[in-house]
Amino acid sequence: MNAQKTATGDTNSFEFRGGLRTMSAALQKEMVLALSIWDDHEADMLWLDSDYPLNASVTAPGVARGPCSATSGDPKTVESIQPGASVIFWNIKTRPIGSTFTA
């Protein structure tokens, strides 16, 4: 992951927060599952499925991340089109890995 962040010029926030060592320590403790619907006022969700960062060439490694336009995730637009957006999460199971289904 560190090499990818270096190659793409992305901020390595995972490593900044302690990386795998911190994540491993956290997973040893009890956790609460939290799910939400959200939009991104910092990067307009472009990091997920568009060209990001906007100030980099789309031919640079890691910039072209998906087919969405650079204006597709603007929170003001999203919130004005879907002001009452909601989500329902259901059929969530918590058990040891591999025990909630049969292959």
Side-chain angles (χ1 to χ4, degrees):
M1 179 182 289
N2 291 342
Q4 175 187 352
K5 296 293 185 180
T6 299
T8 61
D10 280 352
T11 301
N12 195 342
S13 56
F14 180 70
E15 193 66 31
F16 175 75
R17 290 176 174 85
L20 290 175
R21 182 178 307 226
T22 300
M23 184 175 175
S24 179
L27 289 171
Q28 300 303 311
K29 302 175 183 178
E30 293 181 2
M31 295 191 161
V32 173
L33 176 65
L35 305 169
S36 66
I37 184 171
W38 56 281
D39 52 23
D40 179 4
H41 288 264
E42 182 175 334
D44 297 348
M45 301 295 284
L46 300 179
W47 56 270
L48 180 63
D49 53 11
S50 186
D51 296 334
Y52 187 79
L54 293 175
N55 62 352
S57 169
V58 296
T59 60
V63 173
R65 302 171 186 221
C68 295
S69 75
T71 60
S72 64
D74 174 39
K76 290 179 184 172
T77 303
V78 173
E79 292 166 6
S80 69
I81 294 171
Q82 296 291 332
S86 64
V87 64
I88 297 172
F89 298 105
W90 61 282
N91 203 20
I92 297 171
K93 300 174 183 179
T94 59
R95 299 287 181 267
I97 294 175
S99 69
T100 60
F101 66 94
T102 54

Coordinates of all heavy atoms in Angstrom, one line a residue:
M1 N 0.8 -1.2 0.0 CA 0.0 0.0 0.0 C 0.9 1.3 0.0 O 0.6 2.2 -0.7 CB -0.9 0.0 1.2 CG -1.8 1.3 1.2 SD -2.9 1.4 2.6 CE -4.1 0.2 2.2
N2 N 2.0 1.2 0.8 CA 2.8 2.4 0.8 C 3.4 2.7 -0.6 O 3.5 3.9 -1.0 CB 3.9 2.2 1.8 CG 3.4 2.2 3.3 OD1 2.3 2.7 3.5 ND2 4.2 1.7 4.2
A3 N 3.8 1.7 -1.3 CA 4.4 1.9 -2.7 C 3.3 2.5 -3.6 O 3.6 3.4 -4.4 CB 4.9 0.6 -3.2
Q4 N 2.1 2.1 -3.5 CA 1.0 2.6 -4.3 C 0.8 4.0 -4.0 O 0.6 4.9 -4.9 CB -0.3 1.8 -4.1 CG -1.5 2.3 -4.8 CD -2.8 1.6 -4.4 OE1 -2.8 0.6 -3.7 NE2 -3.9 2.2 -4.9
K5 N 0.7 4.4 -2.7 CA 0.5 5.8 -2.3 C 1.6 6.7 -2.8 O 1.4 7.8 -3.3 CB 0.4 5.9 -0.8 CG -0.9 5.2 -0.2 CD -2.1 5.9 -0.7 CE -3.3 5.3 0.0 NZ -4.6 5.9 -0.5
T6 N 2.8 6.2 -2.8 CA 4.0 6.9 -3.3 C 3.9 7.1 -4.8 O 4.1 8.2 -5.3 CB 5.3 6.2 -2.9 OG1 5.4 6.1 -1.5 CG2 6.5 7.0 -3.4
A7 N 3.6 6.0 -5.5 CA 3.5 6.1 -7.0 C 2.4 7.0 -7.4 O 2.6 7.7 -8.4 CB 3.3 4.7 -7.5
T8 N 1.3 7.1 -6.7 CA 0.2 7.9 -7.2 C 0.2 9.3 -6.6 O -0.6 10.1 -7.0 CB -1.2 7.2 -6.8 OG1 -1.3 7.1 -5.4 CG2 -1.3 5.9 -7.5
G9 N 1.0 9.5 -5.6 CA 1.0 10.8 -4.9 C -0.1 11.0 -3.9 O -0.3 12.2 -3.5
D10 N -0.8 10.0 -3.6 CA -1.9 10.1 -2.6 C -1.4 10.3 -1.2 O -0.3 9.8 -0.9 CB -2.8 8.8 -2.6 CG -3.8 8.7 -3.8 OD1 -3.9 9.7 -4.5 OD2 -4.4 7.7 -3.9
T11 N -2.2 11.0 -0.4 CA -1.9 11.1 1.0 C -2.0 9.7 1.6 O -3.0 9.1 1.5 CB -2.8 12.1 1.7 OG1 -2.7 13.3 1.0 CG2 -2.5 12.2 3.2
N12 N -1.0 9.3 2.3 CA -1.0 8.0 3.0 C -1.6 8.1 4.4 O -0.9 7.9 5.4 CB 0.4 7.4 3.0 CG 0.4 5.9 3.3 OD1 -0.6 5.4 3.8 ND2 1.5 5.3 3.0
S13 N -2.9 8.4 4.4 CA -3.6 8.6 5.7 C -3.6 7.3 6.6 O -3.6 7.4 7.8 CB -5.0 9.2 5.5 OG -5.7 8.3 4.7
F14 N -3.6 6.1 5.9 CA -3.6 4.9 6.7 C -2.3 4.7 7.5 O -2.3 4.4 8.6 CB -3.8 3.7 5.7 CG -3.8 2.4 6.3 CD1 -4.9 2.0 7.1 CD2 -2.8 1.5 6.2 CE1 -4.9 0.7 7.7 CE2 -2.8 0.2 6.8 CZ -3.8 -0.1 7.5
E15 N -1.2 5.0 6.8 CA 0.1 4.9 7.5 C 0.2 6.0 8.5 O 0.8 5.7 9.6 CB 1.2 4.9 6.5 CG 2.6 4.5 7.0 CD 2.6 3.1 7.4 OE1 2.0 2.2 6.8 OE2 3.4 2.8 8.3
F16 N -0.3 7.2 8.2 CA -0.2 8.3 9.1 C -0.9 7.9 10.4 O -0.5 8.4 11.5 CB -0.8 9.5 8.5 CG -0.9 10.7 9.4 CD1 0.2 11.5 9.7 CD2 -2.1 11.1 9.9 CE1 0.1 12.6 10.6 CE2 -2.2 12.2 10.8 CZ -1.1 12.9 11.1
R17 N -2.0 7.2 10.4 CA -2.8 6.8 11.5 C -2.2 5.5 12.2 O -2.9 5.0 13.1 CB -4.2 6.6 11.2 CG -4.9 8.0 10.8 CD -6.3 7.8 10.3 NE -7.0 9.0 10.2 CZ -6.9 9.8 9.1 NH1 -6.2 9.4 8.1 NH2 -7.6 10.9 9.0
G18 N -1.1 5.0 11.8 CA -0.5 3.8 12.5 C -0.5 2.6 11.6 O 0.1 1.6 12.1
G19 N -1.1 2.6 10.5 CA -1.0 1.4 9.6 C -1.6 0.1 10.1 O -2.4 0.1 11.0
L20 N -1.0 -1.0 9.7 CA -1.4 -2.3 10.0 C -1.2 -2.6 11.5 O -2.0 -3.3 12.1 CB -0.8 -3.4 9.2 CG -1.2 -3.4 7.7 CD1 -0.4 -4.4 6.9 CD2 -2.7 -3.7 7.6
R21 N -0.2 -2.0 12.1 CA 0.1 -2.3 13.5 C -1.1 -1.8 14.4 O -1.6 -2.4 15.3 CB 1.4 -1.6 14.0 CG 1.7 -1.9 15.4 CD 3.0 -1.2 15.7 NE 4.0 -1.7 14.8 CZ 5.2 -2.2 15.0 NH1 5.6 -2.1 16.3 NH2 6.0 -2.6 14.1
T22 N -1.6 -0.5 14.1 CA -2.7 0.1 14.8 C -4.0 -0.7 14.5 O -4.8 -0.9 15.4 CB -2.8 1.5 14.5 OG1 -1.6 2.2 14.8 CG2 -4.0 2.2 15.2
M23 N -4.2 -1.1 13.3 CA -5.4 -1.8 12.9 C -5.4 -3.1 13.6 O -6.5 -3.6 14.1 CB -5.4 -2.0 11.4 CG -6.7 -2.6 10.9 SD -6.6 -2.6 9.1 CE -8.1 -3.6 8.7
S24 N -4.3 -3.8 13.6 CA -4.2 -5.1 14.3 C -4.6 -5.0 15.8 O -5.3 -5.8 16.3 CB -2.8 -5.7 14.1 OG -2.8 -7.0 14.8
A25 N -4.0 -4.0 16.4 CA -4.3 -3.8 17.9 C -5.8 -3.5 18.1 O -6.4 -4.0 19.0 CB -3.5 -2.6 18.4
A26 N -6.4 -2.7 17.2 CA -7.8 -2.3 17.3 C -8.7 -3.6 17.1 O -9.7 -3.7 17.8 CB -8.2 -1.3 16.2
L27 N -8.3 -4.4 16.2 CA -9.1 -5.6 15.9 C -9.1 -6.6 17.1 O -9.9 -7.5 17.1 CB -8.7 -6.3 14.6 CG -9.0 -5.5 13.4 CD1 -8.4 -6.2 12.1 CD2 -10.5 -5.4 13.2
Q28 N -8.2 -6.5 18.0 CA -8.1 -7.4 19.2 C -9.2 -7.0 20.2 O -9.4 -7.7 21.1 CB -6.7 -7.3 19.8 CG -5.6 -7.8 18.9 CD -5.9 -9.2 18.3 OE1 -6.2 -10.1 19.1 NE2 -5.7 -9.3 17.0
K29 N -9.8 -5.8 20.0 CA -10.8 -5.3 21.0 C -12.2 -5.4 20.4 O -12.4 -5.7 19.2 CB -10.5 -3.8 21.3 CG -9.1 -3.5 21.8 CD -8.9 -2.1 21.9 CE -7.5 -1.8 22.4 NZ -7.2 -0.4 22.5
E30 N -13.2 -5.3 21.2 CA -14.6 -5.3 20.7 C -14.8 -4.1 19.9 O -14.3 -3.0 20.1 CB -15.5 -5.3 21.9 CG -15.5 -6.6 22.7 CD -16.5 -6.6 23.8 OE1 -17.2 -5.7 24.0 OE2 -16.5 -7.6 24.6
M31 N -15.6 -4.2 18.9 CA -16.0 -3.1 18.0 C -17.5 -3.0 17.8 O -18.2 -4.0 18.0 CB -15.3 -3.3 16.6 CG -13.8 -3.3 16.6 SD -13.2 -3.2 15.0 CE -11.6 -2.6 15.2
V32 N -17.9 -1.9 17.3 CA -19.3 -1.7 17.0 C -19.4 -1.4 15.5 O -18.6 -0.7 14.9 CB -19.8 -0.4 17.7 CG1 -21.2 -0.1 17.2 CG2 -19.8 -0.6 19.2
L33 N -20.3 -2.2 14.8 CA -20.5 -2.0 13.4 C -21.3 -0.7 13.2 O -22.4 -0.6 13.8 CB -21.2 -3.2 12.8 CG -21.6 -3.1 11.3 CD1 -20.4 -3.0 10.4 CD2 -22.5 -4.3 11.0
A34 N -20.8 0.2 12.4 CA -21.5 1.4 12.1 C -21.7 1.6 10.5 O -20.7 1.5 9.8 CB -20.8 2.6 12.6
L35 N -22.9 1.7 10.0 CA -23.1 1.9 8.6 C -23.8 3.2 8.4 O -24.6 3.6 9.2 CB -24.0 0.7 8.1 CG -23.5 -0.7 8.4 CD1 -24.5 -1.7 8.0 CD2 -22.2 -0.9 7.6
S36 N -23.6 3.8 7.3 CA -24.2 5.1 7.0 C -24.3 5.4 5.5 O -23.6 4.7 4.7 CB -23.5 6.2 7.7 OG -22.2 6.4 7.2
I37 N -25.1 6.4 5.2 CA -25.1 6.9 3.9 C -24.5 8.3 4.0 O -24.8 9.0 4.9 CB -26.6 7.0 3.3 CG1 -26.6 7.4 1.8 CG2 -27.5 7.8 4.1 CD1 -27.9 7.3 1.1
W38 N -23.6 8.6 3.1 CA -22.9 9.9 3.2 C -22.5 10.4 1.9 O -22.5 9.7 0.9 CB -21.7 9.7 4.1 CG -20.7 8.6 3.7 CD1 -20.9 7.3 3.8 CD2 -19.5 8.8 3.0 NE1 -19.8 6.6 3.3 CE2 -18.9 7.5 2.8 CE3 -18.8 9.9 2.5 CZ2 -17.7 7.4 2.1 CZ3 -17.6 9.7 1.9 CH2 -17.0 8.5 1.7
D39 N -22.1 11.7 1.9 CA -21.4 12.3 0.7 C -20.1 12.9 1.2 O -19.8 13.0 2.4 CB -22.3 13.3 0.0 CG -22.9 14.3 0.9 OD1 -22.4 14.6 1.9 OD2 -24.0 14.9 0.5
D40 N -19.3 13.4 0.3 CA -17.9 13.7 0.6 C -17.7 15.2 0.3 O -17.5 15.6 -0.9 CB -17.0 12.8 -0.2 CG -15.6 13.1 -0.1 OD1 -15.2 14.0 0.7 OD2 -14.8 12.4 -0.8
H41 N -17.7 16.0 1.3 CA -17.5 17.5 1.1 C -16.1 17.9 0.8 O -15.8 19.0 0.5 CB -18.1 18.3 2.3 CG -19.6 18.3 2.3 ND1 -20.4 19.3 1.7 CD2 -20.5 17.3 2.7 CE1 -21.6 19.0 1.9 NE2 -21.8 17.9 2.5
E42 N -15.2 16.9 1.1 CA -13.7 17.2 0.9 C -13.3 16.9 -0.6 O -12.6 17.7 -1.2 CB -12.9 16.5 1.8 CG -11.4 16.8 1.7 CD -10.6 16.1 2.8 OE1 -11.1 15.8 3.9 OE2 -9.4 15.9 2.5
A43 N -13.7 15.8 -1.1 CA -13.2 15.3 -2.4 C -14.3 14.9 -3.4 O -14.0 14.4 -4.4 CB -12.2 14.2 -2.2
D44 N -15.5 15.2 -3.0 CA -16.7 14.9 -3.9 C -16.8 13.5 -4.4 O -17.3 13.2 -5.4 CB -16.7 15.9 -5.1 CG -16.8 17.3 -4.7 OD1 -17.1 17.6 -3.6 OD2 -16.5 18.2 -5.6
M45 N -16.2 12.6 -3.6 CA -16.2 11.1 -3.9 C -15.4 10.8 -5.2 O -15.5 9.7 -5.7 CB -17.7 10.6 -4.0 CG -18.5 10.8 -2.8 SD -18.0 9.8 -1.4 CE -18.5 8.2 -1.8
L46 N -14.7 11.7 -5.7 CA -13.9 11.5 -6.9 C -12.9 10.4 -6.7 O -12.5 9.7 -7.7 CB -13.3 12.8 -7.4 CG -14.3 13.9 -7.7 CD1 -13.5 15.2 -8.2 CD2 -15.3 13.5 -8.8
W47 N -12.3 10.3 -5.5 CA -11.3 9.3 -5.2 C -11.8 7.9 -5.5 O -11.1 7.0 -5.7 CB -10.9 9.4 -3.8 CG -12.0 9.3 -2.8 CD1 -12.7 10.4 -2.3 CD2 -12.6 8.2 -2.2 NE1 -13.7 9.9 -1.5 CE2 -13.6 8.6 -1.4 CE3 -12.3 6.8 -2.3 CZ2 -14.4 7.7 -0.7 CZ3 -13.1 5.9 -1.6 CH2 -14.1 6.3 -0.8
L48 N -13.1 7.7 -5.5 CA -13.7 6.4 -5.6 C -13.9 6.0 -7.1 O -13.6 4.9 -7.5 CB -15.1 6.4 -4.9 CG -15.9 5.1 -5.0 CD1 -15.1 4.0 -4.2 CD2 -17.2 5.3 -4.3
D49 N -14.4 6.9 -7.9 CA -14.8 6.4 -9.3 C -14.7 7.5 -10.4 O -15.5 7.5 -11.3 CB -16.2 5.8 -9.3 CG -17.2 6.7 -8.6 OD1 -16.9 7.9 -8.4 OD2 -18.3 6.3 -8.4
S50 N -13.8 8.4 -10.2 CA -13.6 9.5 -11.2 C -12.1 9.7 -11.4 O -11.3 8.8 -11.0 CB -14.3 10.7 -10.8 OG -14.2 11.7 -11.9
D51 N -11.7 10.8 -12.0 CA -10.3 11.2 -12.0 C -9.9 12.0 -10.8 O -10.6 13.0 -10.5 CB -10.0 12.1 -13.3 CG -10.3 11.3 -14.6 OD1 -10.2 10.1 -14.6 OD2 -10.6 12.0 -15.6
Y52 N -8.9 11.5 -10.0 CA -8.6 12.2 -8.8 C -7.1 11.9 -8.5 O -6.7 10.8 -8.6 CB -9.5 11.7 -7.6 CG -9.3 12.4 -6.4 CD1 -9.9 13.7 -6.2 CD2 -8.5 11.9 -5.4 CE1 -9.7 14.4 -5.0 CE2 -8.3 12.6 -4.2 CZ -8.9 13.9 -4.0 OH -8.7 14.6 -2.9
P53 N -6.4 12.9 -8.1 CA -6.8 14.3 -7.8 C -7.0 15.1 -9.1 O -6.4 14.8 -10.2 CB -5.6 14.9 -7.0 CG -4.4 14.1 -7.4 CD -5.0 12.7 -7.7
L54 N -7.7 16.2 -9.0 CA -8.1 17.0 -10.2 C -6.9 17.7 -10.8 O -6.9 18.0 -12.0 CB -9.2 17.9 -9.9 CG -10.6 17.3 -9.6 CD1 -11.6 18.3 -9.2 CD2 -11.1 16.5 -10.8
N55 N -5.9 18.0 -10.0 CA -4.7 18.8 -10.5 C -3.7 17.9 -11.1 O -2.6 18.3 -11.4 CB -4.2 19.6 -9.3 CG -3.6 18.8 -8.2 OD1 -3.8 17.6 -8.1 ND2 -3.0 19.4 -7.2
A56 N -4.0 16.6 -11.3 CA -3.0 15.7 -11.9 C -3.5 15.2 -13.3 O -4.6 15.2 -13.5 CB -2.8 14.4 -11.0
S57 N -2.5 14.8 -14.1 CA -2.8 14.4 -15.4 C -3.6 13.0 -15.3 O -3.2 12.1 -14.6 CB -1.5 14.2 -16.2 OG -1.8 13.5 -17.4
V58 N -4.6 12.9 -16.1 CA -5.3 11.6 -16.1 C -4.5 10.4 -16.6 O -4.9 9.3 -16.4 CB -6.6 11.7 -17.0 CG1 -7.6 12.7 -16.4 CG2 -6.3 12.0 -18.4
T59 N -3.4 10.7 -17.2 CA -2.5 9.6 -17.7 C -1.5 9.2 -16.6 O -0.8 8.2 -16.7 CB -1.7 10.0 -18.9 OG1 -0.9 11.2 -18.6 CG2 -2.6 10.3 -20.1
A60 N -1.4 10.0 -15.5 CA -0.6 9.6 -14.3 C -1.1 8.4 -13.6 O -2.3 8.2 -13.5 CB -0.4 10.8 -13.4
P61 N -0.2 7.5 -13.1 CA -0.7 6.3 -12.4 C -1.7 6.6 -11.3 O -1.4 7.5 -10.5 CB 0.6 5.7 -11.8 CG 1.7 6.3 -12.7 CD 1.2 7.6 -13.1
G62 N -2.8 5.9 -11.2 CA -3.7 6.1 -10.2 C -4.7 7.2 -10.3 O -5.6 7.3 -9.4
V63 N -4.6 8.0 -11.3 CA -5.5 9.2 -11.4 C -6.9 8.8 -12.0 O -7.9 9.1 -11.4 CB -4.9 10.3 -12.2 CG1 -5.9 11.4 -12.4 CG2 -3.7 10.9 -11.5
A64 N -6.9 8.0 -13.1 CA -8.1 7.5 -13.7 C -8.7 6.4 -12.8 O -8.2 5.3 -12.9 CB -7.9 7.1 -15.1
R65 N -9.7 6.6 -12.0 CA -10.2 5.6 -11.1 C -11.6 5.1 -11.5 O -12.1 4.2 -10.8 CB -10.2 6.3 -9.7 CG -8.9 6.7 -9.2 CD -9.0 7.5 -8.0 NE -7.6 8.1 -7.6 CZ -7.2 8.1 -6.4 NH1 -7.8 7.6 -5.4 NH2 -6.0 8.6 -6.2
G66 N -12.2 5.7 -12.5 CA -13.5 5.2 -12.9 C -14.2 6.1 -13.9 O -13.6 7.2 -14.3
P67 N -15.4 5.8 -14.3 CA -16.0 6.5 -15.4 C -16.8 7.8 -15.1 O -17.2 8.5 -16.0 CB -17.0 5.5 -16.0 CG -17.4 4.7 -14.8 CD -16.1 4.6 -13.9
C68 N -16.9 8.1 -13.8 CA -17.8 9.2 -13.4 C -17.1 10.6 -13.8 O -15.9 10.7 -13.7 CB -18.1 9.2 -12.0 SG -19.2 7.7 -11.6
S69 N -17.9 11.6 -14.1 CA -17.4 12.9 -14.4 C -16.9 13.6 -13.1 O -17.3 13.2 -12.0 CB -18.4 13.8 -15.1 OG -19.4 14.2 -14.1
A70 N -16.0 14.6 -13.3 CA -15.4 15.3 -12.2 C -16.5 16.1 -11.4 O -16.2 16.6 -10.3 CB -14.3 16.2 -12.6
T71 N -17.7 16.3 -12.0 CA -18.7 17.0 -11.3 C -19.8 16.1 -10.7 O -20.8 16.6 -10.1 CB -19.4 18.1 -12.2 OG1 -19.9 17.4 -13.3 CG2 -18.3 19.1 -12.7
S72 N -19.7 14.8 -10.9 CA -20.8 13.9 -10.5 C -21.0 13.8 -9.0 O -22.1 13.4 -8.6 CB -20.5 12.5 -11.1 OG -19.3 12.0 -10.5
G73 N -20.0 14.0 -8.2 CA -20.2 13.8 -6.7 C -20.3 15.1 -5.9 O -20.2 15.0 -4.7
D74 N -20.5 16.2 -6.6 CA -20.6 17.5 -5.8 C -21.8 17.4 -4.8 O -22.9 17.2 -5.2 CB -20.9 18.6 -6.8 CG -21.2 19.9 -6.1 OD1 -20.5 20.2 -5.1 OD2 -22.0 20.7 -6.6
P75 N -21.5 17.5 -3.5 CA -22.5 17.3 -2.5 C -23.7 18.2 -2.7 O -24.8 17.8 -2.4 CB -21.8 17.6 -1.2 CG -20.4 17.2 -1.5 CD -20.1 17.7 -2.9
K76 N -23.5 19.5 -3.1 CA -24.6 20.4 -3.2 C -25.6 19.9 -4.3 O -26.8 19.9 -4.1 CB -24.1 21.8 -3.6 CG -23.4 22.5 -2.5 CD -22.9 23.8 -2.9 CE -22.1 24.5 -1.8 NZ -21.4 25.7 -2.3
T77 N -25.0 19.3 -5.4 CA -25.9 18.8 -6.4 C -26.6 17.5 -5.9 O -27.8 17.4 -6.1 CB -25.0 18.4 -7.7 OG1 -24.4 19.6 -8.1 CG2 -25.9 17.9 -8.8
V78 N -25.8 16.6 -5.3 CA -26.4 15.3 -4.9 C -27.5 15.6 -3.8 O -28.6 15.0 -3.9 CB -25.3 14.5 -4.2 CG1 -25.9 13.2 -3.6 CG2 -24.3 14.0 -5.3
E79 N -27.2 16.5 -2.9 CA -28.2 16.8 -1.8 C -29.4 17.5 -2.4 O -30.5 17.4 -1.9 CB -27.5 17.6 -0.7 CG -26.5 16.8 0.0 CD -25.6 17.7 0.9 OE1 -25.8 18.9 1.0 OE2 -24.6 17.1 1.5
S80 N -29.3 18.3 -3.4 CA -30.4 19.0 -4.0 C -31.3 18.1 -4.8 O -32.5 18.2 -4.9 CB -30.0 20.2 -4.9 OG -29.3 19.8 -6.0
I81 N -30.7 17.1 -5.4 CA -31.4 16.1 -6.2 C -32.1 15.1 -5.4 O -33.2 14.7 -5.6 CB -30.5 15.4 -7.3 CG1 -30.0 16.4 -8.3 CG2 -31.2 14.3 -8.0 CD1 -28.9 15.9 -9.2
Q82 N -31.4 14.7 -4.3 CA -32.0 13.6 -3.4 C -31.9 14.1 -1.9 O -31.2 13.6 -1.1 CB -31.1 12.4 -3.5 CG -31.1 11.7 -4.8 CD -32.5 11.1 -5.1 OE1 -33.2 10.7 -4.2 NE2 -32.8 11.0 -6.4
P83 N -32.7 15.2 -1.6 CA -32.6 15.7 -0.2 C -33.1 14.8 0.8 O -32.7 14.9 2.0 CB -33.5 17.0 -0.3 CG -34.5 16.7 -1.4 CD -33.7 15.9 -2.4
G84 N -33.9 13.9 0.5 CA -34.4 12.9 1.5 C -33.8 11.5 1.4 O -34.5 10.5 1.7
A85 N -32.6 11.4 0.8 CA -32.0 10.1 0.6 C -32.0 9.3 1.9 O -31.8 9.8 3.0 CB -30.6 10.3 0.1
S86 N -32.2 8.0 1.8 CA -32.2 7.1 2.9 C -31.7 5.8 2.5 O -31.6 5.5 1.3 CB -33.5 7.0 3.6 OG -34.4 6.4 2.7
V87 N -31.4 4.9 3.4 CA -30.9 3.6 3.1 C -31.4 2.7 4.2 O -31.7 3.1 5.3 CB -29.3 3.6 3.0 CG1 -28.7 3.9 4.4 CG2 -28.9 2.2 2.5
I88 N -31.7 1.4 3.8 CA -32.0 0.4 4.8 C -31.0 -0.7 4.7 O -30.8 -1.3 3.7 CB -33.4 -0.2 4.5 CG1 -34.5 1.0 4.6 CG2 -33.8 -1.3 5.4 CD1 -35.9 0.5 4.1
F89 N -30.4 -1.0 5.8 CA -29.5 -2.1 5.9 C -30.2 -3.3 6.6 O -30.9 -3.1 7.6 CB -28.2 -1.7 6.8 CG -27.5 -0.6 6.2 CD1 -27.5 0.7 6.8 CD2 -26.6 -0.8 5.1 CE1 -26.8 1.7 6.3 CE2 -25.9 0.3 4.6 CZ -26.0 1.5 5.2
W90 N -30.1 -4.5 6.0 CA -30.9 -5.6 6.6 C -30.1 -6.9 6.4 O -29.2 -6.9 5.6 CB -32.3 -5.7 6.0 CG -32.3 -5.9 4.5 CD1 -32.0 -5.0 3.5 CD2 -32.4 -7.1 3.8 NE1 -32.1 -5.6 2.3 CE2 -32.3 -6.9 2.4 CE3 -32.7 -8.4 4.2 CZ2 -32.5 -7.9 1.5 CZ3 -32.8 -9.4 3.3 CH2 -32.7 -9.2 1.9
N91 N -30.5 -7.9 7.1 CA -30.0 -9.2 7.0 C -28.5 -9.2 7.3 O -27.7 -9.9 6.7 CB -30.2 -9.8 5.6 CG -30.2 -11.3 5.7 OD1 -30.3 -11.9 6.8 ND2 -29.9 -12.0 4.6
I92 N -28.1 -8.4 8.3 CA -26.7 -8.3 8.7 C -26.4 -9.4 9.7 O -27.1 -9.6 10.7 CB -26.3 -6.9 9.2 CG1 -26.5 -5.9 8.1 CG2 -24.9 -6.9 9.8 CD1 -26.4 -4.4 8.6
K93 N -25.3 -10.1 9.5 CA -25.0 -11.2 10.4 C -23.6 -11.0 11.0 O -22.7 -10.5 10.3 CB -25.0 -12.5 9.7 CG -26.3 -12.9 9.0 CD -26.2 -14.1 8.2 CE -27.5 -14.4 7.5 NZ -27.5 -15.6 6.7
T94 N -23.4 -11.2 12.3 CA -22.1 -11.2 12.9 C -21.8 -12.5 13.6 O -22.5 -12.9 14.5 CB -22.1 -10.0 13.9 OG1 -23.1 -10.2 14.9 CG2 -22.3 -8.7 13.2
R95 N -20.8 -13.1 13.1 CA -20.3 -14.4 13.6 C -18.9 -14.6 13.2 O -18.4 -13.8 12.4 CB -21.2 -15.6 13.1 CG -22.7 -15.5 13.5 CD -22.9 -15.8 15.0 NE -24.2 -15.8 15.4 CZ -24.9 -14.8 15.9 NH1 -24.3 -13.7 16.0 NH2 -26.1 -14.9 16.2
P96 N -18.2 -15.6 13.6 CA -16.9 -15.8 13.1 C -16.8 -15.9 11.6 O -17.8 -16.4 11.0 CB -16.5 -17.2 13.8 CG -17.3 -17.3 15.0 CD -18.6 -16.6 14.6
I97 N -15.8 -15.5 11.0 CA -15.6 -15.5 9.6 C -15.9 -16.9 9.0 O -15.4 -17.9 9.5 CB -14.2 -15.0 9.2 CG1 -14.1 -13.5 9.6 CG2 -13.9 -15.2 7.7 CD1 -12.7 -12.9 9.3
G98 N -16.7 -16.9 8.0 CA -17.0 -18.2 7.3 C -18.1 -19.0 7.9 O -18.5 -20.0 7.4
S99 N -18.7 -18.5 9.0 CA -19.8 -19.3 9.6 C -21.2 -18.8 9.4 O -22.1 -19.4 9.9 CB -19.5 -19.3 11.2 OG -19.8 -18.0 11.7
T100 N -21.4 -17.7 8.6 CA -22.7 -17.1 8.4 C -23.4 -17.6 7.1 O -24.4 -17.1 6.7 CB -22.7 -15.6 8.4 OG1 -21.8 -15.2 7.4 CG2 -22.2 -15.1 9.8
F101 N -22.7 -18.5 6.4 CA -23.3 -19.0 5.1 C -22.7 -20.4 4.8 O -21.7 -20.8 5.4 CB -23.0 -18.1 4.0 CG -21.5 -18.0 3.6 CD1 -21.0 -18.8 2.6 CD2 -20.7 -17.1 4.3 CE1 -19.6 -18.8 2.3 CE2 -19.3 -17.1 4.0 CZ -18.8 -17.9 3.0
T102 N -23.3 -21.1 3.9 CA -22.8 -22.4 3.5 C -22.4 -22.2 2.0 O -23.1 -21.7 1.2 CB -23.8 -23.5 3.6 OG1 -25.0 -23.2 2.9 CG2 -24.1 -23.8 5.1
A103 N -21.2 -22.7 1.7 CA -20.6 -22.5 0.4 C -21.3 -23.4 -0.6 O -21.8 -24.5 -0.3 CB -19.1 -22.7 0.4

